[in-house]
Amino acid sequence: MDDQQILQRIHALVEEEHDLLSRRESAGPEQHARITHLEETLDQCWDLLRRRRARQSAGLDPDDAEVAPVAQVEGYLQ
């Protein structure tokens, strides 16, 4: 997956997230779980994009960057 594909995935996930959030008041447990999953997946995508860009900036192959597990990405300090 290259940077452009990651950005397209991010935009699609954000669009779905916004749609679900706009209907949050009437959302059931499945939709709340989906929102949580979307947020975690978005965090992974942003992290992967940062990793790719850091590798490229360091003169390394960005394609060697790997998706970090949710537990790791969600554990980062803000």
Side-chain angles (χ1 to χ4, degrees), residues 1 6 20 29-30 36 48 52 55-57 60 63 67 72-74 78:
M1 193 180 285
I6 295 168
L20 289 172
E30 291 174 3
T36 299
L48 178 59
R52 287 181 54 81
R55 289 187 64 77
Q56 186 173 17
S57 199
L60 302 172
D63 291 335
V67 176
Q72 179 179 335
V73 174
E74 294 301 313
Q78 298 277 328

